[in-house]
Amino acid sequence: MAHYLIIGQGIAGTVLAYTLLQRGHQVQIIDNDQPQTASKVAAGLFNPVTGYRMVKTWLADQLFPFLQAFYPALEAYLEAKFFYPLPMYRPFESVAQQNEVLAEISDEKFAAYVEKTFFPNEYGKKIKDPFGGVLLKKSGYVNLPVMLSAARKKWQADNILHNATFSEAQVELDKEKVHYQGMAVDYLVLCRGWQETQSSWFALPFRPVKGEILQVRFTDETYGHIINRSCWILPQPDQSYRIGATYYPQDVSLEPSLKGRQELTAKLHSLTGAKWEIMGHLAGVRPATFDRRPFIGLHPVYRRVCIFNGLGSKGVSLAPYFAAVLADFLEGKTQFLPKEVDIARCGRI
Ligand SMILES: Cc1cc2nc3c(=O)[nH]c(=O)nc-3n(C[C@H](O)[C@H](O)[C@H](O)COP(=O)(O)OP(=O)(O)OC[C@H]3O[C@@H](n4cnc5c(N)ncnc54)[C@H](O)[C@@H]3O)c2cc1C
């Protein structure tokens, strides 16, 4: 049994804290409840088949079965509903894409992911699909604001989560313990998202990417699937929809921009002929990395300080599996972290 202090209660901190608590560890969390973090703004989509050619994402066969079990268990623990499996309709962009994808998905390895293919203009609901499309399964979304606030409420009541800003200057380290404001813990785990770039401990090659989404209401149509072609339409339980997302590298401003609004409305017009009104516009910064893989590991000098970060655009699908990977490592069940995620790949930090 070990004692952990986690900094940050976004997806990373929440999923890791739950994982460690389930294994019987003692956990404390410090989070300063910033209003516009990536986790609060994100649509929470998960989707194992992505890209122009609709290929399986990295580690799909490990990540997706894992998350399908993880989030329902977390829902039960938090007594809240936030996990929504939902098929995704992907209208094709062109005849070329139609041909390539139909050839690709005829392979048996895709059978588990494809619900149905559609002929040109068959889907209906004012969706512009002149080349047809494919309805994918095993996708869906996690309503992150609901998940995060349910965890926050429970852990504040249980005296696990403390609403405060963590300061590195107040940390004292010795070989066995990390001392912070009267606490003595075995490991300090930093889960501060893109703000880790301001850290004095981990100078890692982050590549933060700003993202914006719109919240809209359709006035003459409803959608029961996620629709995705250059932007996505994500149905919400309250009959509103999220539209996203932009991808602006090297921008860490948190203000929604006119450019973002114009880009998303233009993409939405090209996807549907339905009418809508904008109800909200949000921006956040993704903690992306130089090689699009997470940053996980122990500090090379301060061996009681650890990082769980770099979830990029895929926090929902990466966090559950890699929280378990990190927990196994810290518990000594595995000797090494997978090379692709271990911060040791970044050289000197
Ligand atoms: C517009 C947009 C859309 C996205 N859509 C998706 C999607 O559909 N699916 C998907 O999987 N991912 C999506 N993402 C990416 C996803 O949001 C991130 O991968 C994920 O949220 C990163 O989580 P995190 O916990 O690492 O960081 P964060 O969410 O940034 O959390 C960090 C936490 O640390 C706290 N903190 C920071 N510094 C301190 C401090 N000094 N003291 C105390 N607390 C501190 C912050 O308050 C915050 O709560 C999207 C991101 C954006 C911006």
Side-chain angles (χ1 to χ4, degrees):
M1 222 61 56
H3 192 168
Y4 292 87
L5 173 59
I6 294 177
I7 311 301
Q9 193 239 331
I11 304 176
T14 303
V15 166
L16 182 64
Y18 171 69
T19 300
L20 293 170
L21 285 165
Q22 288 305 104
R23 293 174 181 225
H25 298 292
Q26 228 181 318
V27 176
Q28 297 292 310
I29 307 165
I30 294 176
D31 182 272
N32 57 9
D33 203 16
Q34 294 167 42
Q36 253 177 285
T37 61
S39 302
K40 285 177 183 163
V41 167
L45 286 170
F46 55 91
N47 173 25
V49 180
T50 58
Y52 176 84
R53 296 190 60 197
M54 299 194 198
V55 292
K56 277 201 260 179
T57 60
W58 179 59
L59 288 184
D61 293 335
Q62 281 81 25
L63 302 182
F64 285 82
F66 202 93
L67 77 82
Q68 299 281 356
F70 180 91
Y71 287 108
L74 183 56
E75 283 187 321
Y77 167 81
L78 294 175
E79 298 177 6
K81 171 87 191 132
F82 45 79
F83 181 62
Y84 296 93
L86 208 56
M88 175 182 284
Y89 182 52
R90 302 249 344 234
F92 298 127
E93 287 170 25
S94 60
V95 174
Q97 189 195 23
Q98 178 193 41
N99 289 337
E100 277 184 56
V101 172
L102 291 180
E104 189 85 44
I105 64 176
S106 61
D107 192 305
E108 207 178 300
K109 66 180 191 258
F110 280 100
Y113 297 100
V114 178
E115 180 86 41
K116 188 177 172 198
T117 51
F118 283 81
F119 291 112
N121 304 310
E122 189 192 355
Y123 186 81
K125 293 188 153 287
K126 303 192 176 75
I127 292 297
K128 297 175 184 172
D129 58 346
F131 310 105
V134 57
L135 186 65
L136 299 167
K137 41 191 185 180
K138 309 231 165 150
S139 52
Y141 75 100
V142 174
N143 188 328
L144 291 167
V146 170
M147 179 183 106
L148 297 179
S149 69
R152 189 172 191 88
K153 198 168 147 207
K154 178 173 174 56
W155 288 338
Q156 276 189 316
D158 294 348
N159 208 24
I160 286 175
L161 190 145
H162 313 282
N163 194 356
T165 295
F166 167 78
S167 156
E168 288 172 14
Q170 292 181 43
V171 174
E172 281 176 37
L173 299 162
D174 61 40
K175 272 202 174 139
E176 300 292 317
K177 296 278 177 196
V178 178
H179 303 269
Y180 186 76
Q181 294 189 342
M183 271 183 260
V185 298
D186 299 298
Y187 289 103
L188 173 67
V189 191
L190 301 173
C191 302
R192 295 186 286 186
W194 76 273
Q195 291 171 86
E196 199 58 48
T197 55
Q198 293 148 15
S199 161
S200 59
W201 284 327
F202 289 97
L204 288 163
F206 279 98
R207 301 284 185 270
V209 179
K210 181 180 180 180
E212 300 186 30
I213 63 165
L214 297 177
Q215 294 166 306
V216 308
R217 196 175 290 283
F218 287 100
T219 52
D220 60 352
E221 197 48 89
T222 57
Y223 295 106
H225 298 143
I226 302 162
I227 317 282
N228 184 357
R229 185 186 59 213
S230 82
C231 75
W232 33 255
I233 299 172
L234 176 63
Q236 299 287 289
D238 66 356
Q239 313 302 319
S240 72
Y241 296 82
R242 289 188 159 211
I243 312 299
T246 62
Y247 200 85
Y248 300 142
Q250 291 164 350
D251 185 350
V252 293
S253 63
L254 291 176
E255 294 77 35
S257 67
L258 181 60
K259 177 174 97 166
R261 178 180 286 236
Q262 286 171 339
E263 178 184 326
L264 291 172
T265 48
K267 285 180 171 172
L268 190 52
H269 274 303
S270 75
L271 185 54
T272 173
K275 293 190 175 64
W276 72 85
E277 54 196 30
I278 295 175
M279 301 156 61
H281 182 183
L282 301 168
V285 178
R286 303 170 179 92
T289 66
F290 76 111
D291 61 356
R292 297 177 176 228
R293 297 288 178 258
F295 283 155
I296 303 176
L298 291 175
H299 191 279
V301 178
Y302 312 124
R303 301 300 284 171
R304 298 268 148 196
V305 180
C306 181
I307 187 163
F308 185 57
N309 204 324
L311 301 179
S313 308
K314 294 189 176 152
V316 165
S317 46
L318 293 171
Y321 178 82
F322 281 109
V325 166
L326 176 58
D328 283 348
F329 175 71
L330 294 174
E331 286 172 339
K333 287 183 183 148
T334 51
Q335 219 185 330
F336 302 103
L337 287 165
K339 281 197 182 94
E340 290 151 298
V341 301
D342 189 341
I343 54 170
R345 75 189 186 281
C346 304
R348 274 175 68 91
I349 58 170

